[in-house]
Amino acid sequence: MQIGAQLYTVREYCTNLADFADTLQKIAAIGYKTVQVSGTCAYEPEWLAEQLRKNGLRCVLTHIPPDKIAETPEQVAAAHKIFGCGGVGIGHYDLEACGVDAFAQRFRPAGRILGQEGLRLSYHNHDGEFRQIDGKTVLERLAEAFPPEEMYFTLDTYWVQAGGGDPIAWLDKLSGRTPYVHLKDMAYGRKMAPVGAGNMNFTGILEACLRNGVEYALVEQDDCYGEDPFACLQRSFDYLKDFA
């Protein structure tokens, strides 16, 4: 399992290409070897490939507009191959508005095409996926609506907990379908915290990641509450480096 950084944490430092390049350099200096690209300014895939190479980084997952994935999966696959990224992520989708069945009808073809191209479509949860419909959570219904090879999951530990779920139990339940996880801790008052600085059972969570085939554990902190987000990523890295 490799420890990586989700760039959404430092999105305010990626609003133009110059700052984005500087941010990748800072992420590499902390010690991260892998990143997820999300929440940044627009970039050409060739530019990203070069910046990753210069900093000794690999991009293993993105979050890009879902419509782009659904409508032009072949183009998405071609761009990701340029910068060597095997994961195409859906960061958020309003499933309450559209419903799981409509979502599956829209994205199953894209998941199939990406799979044929050697990439993985991966869905990232928030807390809303833990609403229950007729005795099943939305996340369960999503897992049933897609064959495993057509959609994987980026399980977000904080949002599982916020939705009333147990991250360890969900890693076990989705075993083999969570090549990526987002690691963020929860402190008192549901505040997001660097990993190890909150109250979640990260010893158990990391053990569950290892036994269930998680390949990339990506540190994310949506809100650093005024603290330097690079410092937050450093604190998480220092806690996690022995688990890599």
Side-chain angles (χ1 to χ4, degrees):
M1 182 172 71
Q2 296 186 38
I3 305 301
Q6 211 305 38
L7 297 187
Y8 189 76
T9 308
V10 289
R11 60 197 178 277
E12 294 178 2
Y13 299 85
C14 298
T15 59
N16 59 69
L17 291 178
D19 287 349
F20 189 179
D22 186 54
T23 290
L24 289 171
Q25 187 175 9
K26 290 178 180 177
I27 294 296
I30 291 171
Y32 289 102
K33 301 296 184 186
T34 60
V35 294
Q36 176 181 346
V37 173
S38 172
T40 70
C41 64
Y43 54 86
E44 292 297 326
E46 294 83 1
W47 179 90
L48 182 57
E50 175 60 15
Q51 294 301 319
L52 294 168
R53 186 198 63 76
K54 283 172 58 177
N55 290 289
L57 293 169
R58 280 200 311 129
C59 177
V60 298
L61 181 65
T62 62
H63 279 169
I64 63 173
D67 287 347
K68 197 172 192 178
I69 297 171
E71 294 165 11
T72 59
E74 294 91 349
Q75 292 177 26
V76 168
H80 280 62
K81 287 179 181 181
I82 290 171
F83 54 90
C85 179
V88 179
I90 297 174
H92 174 73
Y93 207 83
D94 190 352
L95 290 169
E96 193 166 5
C98 80
V100 170
D101 290 343
F103 177 86
Q105 185 176 2
R106 180 162 170 74
F107 286 97
R108 276 197 61 187
R112 189 176 311 119
I113 290 168
L114 290 172
Q116 291 167 353
E117 293 289 336
L119 281 73
R120 296 183 288 207
L121 176 63
S122 192
Y123 181 90
H124 169 263
N125 68 280
H126 289 86
D127 53 350
E129 285 78 8
F130 295 89
R131 290 183 299 112
Q132 290 209 3
I133 302 172
D134 297 328
K136 287 186 178 180
T137 64
V138 172
L139 195 57
E140 285 176 290
R141 293 186 176 278
L142 276 174
E144 292 172 353
F146 284 79
E149 67 275 9
E150 290 183 7
M151 192 171 76
Y152 296 82
F153 293 92
T154 304
L155 201 70
D156 188 300
T157 56
Y158 173 94
W159 288 115
V160 173
Q161 187 102 348
D166 176 357
I168 296 171
W170 276 97
L171 283 162
D172 289 338
K173 183 186 284 284
L174 295 173
S175 184
R177 294 187 71 173
T178 55
Y180 320 100
V181 296
H182 280 178
L183 301 182
K184 67 169 76 78
D185 213 338
M186 182 186 292
Y188 174 73
R190 283 186 35 151
K191 287 185 68 174
M192 296 177 181
V195 180
N199 296 314
M200 293 174 64
N201 176 14
F202 266 98
T203 298
I205 289 169
L206 291 165
E207 289 172 352
C209 287
L210 291 170
R211 71 171 173 265
N212 287 298
V214 172
E215 298 171 32
Y216 304 105
L218 300 159
V219 174
E220 181 182 39
Q221 192 171 338
D222 311 28
D223 193 337
C224 295
Y225 309 98
E227 189 175 351
D228 180 354
F230 293 100
C232 291
L233 287 174
Q234 179 75 65
R235 290 171 66 191
S236 291
F237 181 83
D238 291 343
Y239 179 85
L240 290 165
K241 60 187 176 183
D242 292 336
F243 290 91

